[in-house]
Amino acid sequence: MISKRTSSLSDSLKKLYYEKAADLLFHGWHHIYLTAKKAVEFAEEFPDVDKELVEAAALVHDLNYVVETNTEPEVGEHLRAKYLEEAGFSNEEINYIESLVLEEHTATRTANISDAAKALSDADSLFKVMPLTPIIFSSHYIVENKVDIRKWADKIISEQDPLMEQGIYFYTKMANEKYLHWAKTDLELVKQVRDSLADPAIQEMLAIAYELKVI
Ligand SMILES: [Fe+2]
């Protein structure tokens, strides 16, 4: 981590996340760690952005899933404030970090979010579209949040298709250059998953797989 405060924050959160590991198969410490690393890297593109506050925002951004899975970011506000305060962040900084977390939320983000939120958003989005995710972590998301596969696919397509159309799937030059092709492939794959569910034989196969508890 890049400062004493974010190192202290990271140590406390790591402990919490390791305790909750069994419940957080997708939004666990592995997700938080990568998001924090990449958020700082993407923030390098914006000289005026405070990298420490971006790193802190990345570390606390998904605490709502610790409170309860399948919830909106607002649910994590109190827990974020508690951990940030313990790590030495001021009230003003805590409010700013909270605003970054709300700005970067996939379901509501726009072209006009702040540069700091752009760096955080790109890091958070990267975890969703890296090639490992559909292979390993997407099924974990479905189990963690107790959603069925059709609802999972519909949510991704309805939230992410408009972002792709507006050219804001990623915001930073670095993420666009290195990772946009991953995002396009991932979105196409999710559309194919959704389309495949129209096949009655595939539906029956899935029902059997659920019955057997293999998914
Ligand atoms: Fe996240």
Side-chain angles (χ1 to χ4, degrees):
M1 298 296 138
I2 64 171
S3 76
K4 268 192 179 171
R5 293 195 300 181
T6 53
S7 294
S8 153
L9 180 62
S10 169
D11 289 346
S12 314
L13 288 171
K14 185 178 175 183
K15 196 166 168 283
L16 173 71
Y17 273 99
Y18 270 69
E19 282 164 12
K20 298 272 182 181
D23 298 327
L24 296 171
L25 301 176
F26 185 92
H27 294 98
W29 185 246
H30 52 299
H31 169 67
I32 304 304
Y33 185 83
L34 185 80
T35 306
K37 277 267 169 200
K38 287 290 178 182
V40 172
E41 195 179 310
F42 294 140
E44 296 294 336
E45 212 164 295
F46 307 111
D48 296 337
V49 163
D50 186 324
K51 316 289 181 292
E52 186 195 23
L53 297 183
V54 169
E55 188 171 54
L59 287 168
V60 297
H61 81 281
D62 274 336
L63 277 174
N64 56 297
Y65 289 93
V66 171
V67 178
E68 193 178 353
T69 55
N70 205 14
T71 55
E72 296 299 309
E74 288 82 354
V75 171
E77 183 178 354
H78 290 298
L79 206 51
R80 276 193 286 277
K82 174 184 176 290
Y83 276 89
L84 288 166
E85 196 183 344
E86 282 169 10
F89 290 88
S90 69
N91 281 343
E92 197 186 337
E93 288 170 326
I94 292 170
N95 290 338
Y96 173 70
I97 288 167
E98 187 64 24
S99 76
L100 294 184
V101 171
L102 300 182
E103 269 192 294
E104 76 99 11
H105 185 39
T106 309
T108 51
R109 66 184 168 88
T110 67
N112 303 315
I113 62 175
S114 66
D115 288 346
K118 287 176 182 171
L120 175 57
S121 174
D122 281 6
D124 204 9
S125 300
L126 175 59
F127 185 88
K128 293 176 186 152
V129 301
M130 60 178 187
L132 280 170
T133 298
I135 304 295
I136 300 174
F137 298 118
S138 294
S139 62
H140 288 356
Y141 180 95
I142 289 163
V143 173
E144 177 193 283
N145 295 290
K146 302 175 187 71
V147 291
D148 76 31
I149 294 174
R150 184 184 299 278
K151 282 187 184 148
W152 166 83
D154 285 345
K155 177 179 159 67
I156 291 177
I157 295 162
S158 67
E159 284 181 4
Q160 298 183 16
D161 238 3
L163 298 171
M164 197 63 89
E165 280 166 18
Q166 292 172 70
I168 54 165
Y169 194 89
F170 289 120
Y171 297 93
T172 64
K173 197 163 168 270
M174 197 189 302
N176 272 304
E177 281 175 358
K178 284 176 86 172
Y179 306 120
L180 187 60
H181 64 292
W182 288 359
K184 287 179 178 167
T185 303
D186 185 70
L187 200 49
E188 191 53 39
L189 180 66
V190 176
K191 286 178 183 174
Q192 289 180 10
V193 168
R194 182 195 56 189
D195 295 347
S196 76
L197 298 175
D199 184 327
I202 291 180
Q203 286 176 19
E204 285 164 21
M205 176 279 294
L206 269 178
I208 294 168
Y210 276 119
E211 213 170 83
L212 293 170
K213 298 189 168 52
V214 295
I215 52 173

